[in-house]
Amino acid sequence: VRYVPPPALGQGPVDGRDAVLTFWRQIGVRFTQNTITNLSLEEAAPARFVRTARLTHRTEDDTLTYVIRQVTVLQGGRVISQVNEQIG
């Protein structure tokens, strides 16, 4: 899997399922609360979907909120690519 995290998280592309899981575990340590709110589903097909979502990450002292456009590509029912573009 190839994963491009939201730019607000300051990370370049991540390759491999284990690396993606490690990335999100680190986000869980860095922030005490993480929320994803789906805003829209722009496109849905068997091999691809595009959604807009608001992500919020909180620590005791700070909140980081941003909106992304996420493009997910599937092959055989498994994610092979997910790219997040920050749009707000």
Side-chain angles (χ1 to χ4, degrees):
V1 67
R2 177 138 174 100
Y3 180 70
V4 179
L9 298 178
Q11 173 83 24
V14 178
D15 290 308
R17 183 177 186 277
D18 290 340
V20 172
L21 293 173
T22 297
F23 170 80
W24 280 108
R25 284 187 196 108
Q26 291 170 346
I27 295 300
V29 170
R30 184 173 156 196
F31 298 99
T32 56
Q33 183 180 6
N34 299 287
T35 306
I36 299 173
T37 303
N38 289 314
L39 302 175
S40 68
L41 180 61
E42 300 170 25
E43 176 185 334
R48 173 183 156 106
F49 65 89
V50 180
R51 72 173 175 165
T52 302
R54 179 182 301 110
L55 283 75
T56 302
H57 309 283
R58 289 188 172 91
T59 65
E60 288 184 20
D61 303 322
D62 199 14
T63 299
L64 173 63
T65 300
Y66 52 94
V67 176
I68 61 166
R69 179 175 181 263
Q70 182 181 73
V71 178
T72 302
V73 178
L74 304 149
Q75 185 175 56
R78 298 185 67 103
V79 175
I80 60 167
S81 173
Q82 190 172 73
V83 176
N84 296 284
E85 172 190 3
Q86 192 166 325
I87 58 174

